[in-house]
Amino acid sequence: MQWILRLSWFCSAAMVLIVLSPSLQSFPPAEAIKSSSSSSSSKSQLNLFKKSPIFHNADVCTTTRGVCDSSVVHVALTLDVDYLRGSIAAVHSILQHATCPQSVFFHFIVSDTSLQTLVKSTFPKLNFKVYYFDPEKVKYLISSSVRHALEQPLNYARNYLAEILDPCVKRVIYLDSDLVVVDDISKLWEIRLNEKTIGAPEYCHANFTKYFTTSFWGNKKLSGTFSGRVRGPCYFNTGVMVMDLVKWRRFGYTRRIEKWMEIQKTSRIYELGSLPPFLLVFAGHVAPIEHRWNQHGLGGDNVVGSCRDLHPGPVSLLHWSGSGKPWLRLDSRKPCPLDALWAPYDLYKHSE
Ligand SMILES: *[C@@H]1O[C@H](CO)[C@@H](O)[C@H](O)[C@H]1NC(C)=O
């Protein structure tokens, strides 16, 4: 079974390459092969997931009608071939723990529109919409980072939610694909942002200095951006954010983030991917959210095989940030103890 998939994968990748060949001069072949393979392999992935059970609203829920209904909880995630299993598990976990699962509306950002069929067949009753994100939109802005996975264009889709999503969407919860929610998502939805544009758990004990280079801190014109911020600036993780899209659009935050990415292209001011521009724009201006909503770092460092423990306190969301991913570790039969908490949400059909 596996070899048939591989073979068809190679054939279709080769076909796409042939079709695309006139445009190949503009980018390195390795990259071209990578992007074309993702669009063809997803078709063979159609049957790789079990159908999710159907989750119904409790009696207390109001019936919601469509994406612009004001009682809807909006959740945005990216879907790509590498993290697909994670995204599907995240959706599954949200539905399972929500009191009103049918009132959650999912916004999936993809660079491969064929994934829409996969979502539909895995979650037949899901309220969702798929938006195409053109990788070319950010490619020229991405500089190489310490981890290759951080350079994927879809990592930057969160910068553009305010323009990608339906204009009637006023607030959205953005979630990474390597997490599961183990509480009612409506509790996170109802958090007050006050006058702030985004909310996220903050970590003020983390060493903020290390997220930027010495040349950044040495340049007062650049690092001066943090002076005068009354709260913080504190580190926050951009994998879980509540975003006020009305304010975001009004104050043009997408452009502000892009400006920092442009500076990074010419003078290296940080080493990570999509996170530092967010810190530059928002650190110190974030509405704090309880830490239970982002128990992060569970991915640990796969290279040394280190397993992380939970931070003290209650848990509403488990986040395998870091280079290790639970589905890879479970498949290799070398899981970390906490990976067992991810496994129940996995809908991947293992070959029998
Ligand atoms: C924070 O990180 C910077 C840069 O890595 C380092 O020079 C500094 O000593 C650290 N500060 C603390 C309090 O650990």
Side-chain angles (χ1 to χ4, degrees), residues 207-210:
N207 185 347
F208 193 79
T209 315
K210 68 171 188 192

Side-chain angles (χ1 to χ4, degrees), residues 314-327:
V315 180
S316 294
L317 184 152
L318 297 151
H319 186 185
W320 278 261
S321 55
S323 49
K325 298 302 165 204
W327 53 92

Side-chain angles (χ1 to χ4, degrees), residues 74-330:
H74 294 283
V75 177
L77 290 119
T78 61
L79 283 186
D80 76 274
V81 172
D82 292 334
Y83 281 70
L84 194 55
R85 205 164 145 191
S87 304
I88 296 289
V91 172
H92 187 204
S93 71
I94 292 166
L95 297 173
Q96 191 164 325
H97 293 277
T99 308
C100 307
Q102 292 167 303
S103 304
V104 182
F105 199 102
F106 289 89
H107 303 264
F108 296 113
I109 319 297
V110 303
S111 293
D112 170 357
T113 48
S114 71
L115 290 172
Q116 176 150 7
T117 324
L118 183 140
V119 175
K120 189 78 199 155
S121 61
T122 309
F123 301 102
K125 298 278 184 191
L126 198 72
N127 298 313
F128 76 97
K129 209 169 157 171
V130 167
Y131 304 80
Y132 177 70
F133 181 73
D134 184 357
E136 297 302 324
K137 194 174 168 66
V138 288
K139 262 194 184 146
Y140 79 100
L141 281 171
I142 300 177
S143 57
S144 61
S145 73
V146 286
R147 248 168 65 204
H148 181 69
L150 302 175
E151 295 160 27
Q152 296 305 317
L154 270 178
N155 266 345
Y156 296 83
R158 67 193 93 189
N159 304 356
Y160 297 92
L161 293 178
E163 30 185 275
I164 297 173
L165 266 47
D166 261 297
C168 68
V169 179
K170 297 191 174 105
R171 173 184 279 219
V172 69
I173 298 173
Y174 173 79
L175 297 176
D176 270 352
S177 298
D178 50 358
L179 52 78
V180 292
V181 176
V182 294
D183 198 352
D184 191 341
I185 191 89
S186 69
K187 295 183 197 163
L188 179 59
W189 177 253
E190 280 155 16
I191 273 163
R192 292 166 62 92
L193 296 180
N194 298 319
E195 80 288 7
K196 303 289 194 281
T197 300
I198 67 168
E202 288 184 299
Y203 304 90
C204 295
H205 297 298
N207 185 347
F208 193 79
T209 315
K210 68 171 188 192
Y211 292 99
F212 301 95
T213 59
T214 39
S215 67
F216 169 82
W217 293 113
N219 184 330
K220 285 282 163 282
K221 237 178 107 184
L222 297 176
S223 57
T225 191
F226 289 123
S227 58
R229 297 197 191 180
V230 184
R231 293 195 66 255
C234 296
Y235 165 79
F236 64 94
N237 181 286
T238 52
V240 179
M241 294 186 284
V242 180
M243 309 164 98
D244 180 328
L245 297 181
V246 176
K247 285 206 180 74
W248 186 292
R249 293 175 186 122
R250 188 187 309 147
F251 297 115
Y253 283 116
T254 297
R255 188 69 204 118
R256 294 196 204 184
I257 289 173
E258 282 185 335
K259 278 193 179 143
W260 282 110
M261 292 174 73
E262 283 160 13
I263 293 173
Q264 166 77 350
K265 287 297 273 188
T266 55
S267 40
R268 206 162 170 83
I269 54 175
Y270 52 80
E271 303 294 346
L272 291 170
S274 61
L275 167 74
F278 257 89
L279 295 180
L280 285 159
V281 173
F282 290 110
H285 299 310
V286 169
I289 289 177
E290 276 183 278
H291 288 157
R292 64 191 302 153
W293 286 105
N294 195 350
Q295 286 269 349
H296 66 293
L298 303 182
D301 185 347
N302 227 17
V303 183
V304 292
S306 69
C307 293
R308 302 287 169 89
D309 207 351
L310 288 174
H311 306 267
V315 180
S316 294
L317 184 152
L318 297 151
H319 186 185
W320 278 261
S321 55
S323 49
K325 298 302 165 204
W327 53 92
L328 298 176
R329 288 196 295 236
L330 287 161

Side-chain angles (χ1 to χ4, degrees), residues 53-86:
I54 291 170
F55 298 96
H56 296 279
N57 273 2
D59 291 340
V60 295
C61 308
T62 51
T63 311
T64 48
R65 288 178 189 81
V67 63
C68 295
D69 192 305
S70 60
S71 63
V72 163
V73 170
H74 294 283
V75 177
L77 290 119
T78 61
L79 283 186
D80 76 274
V81 172
D82 292 334
Y83 281 70
L84 194 55
R85 205 164 145 191

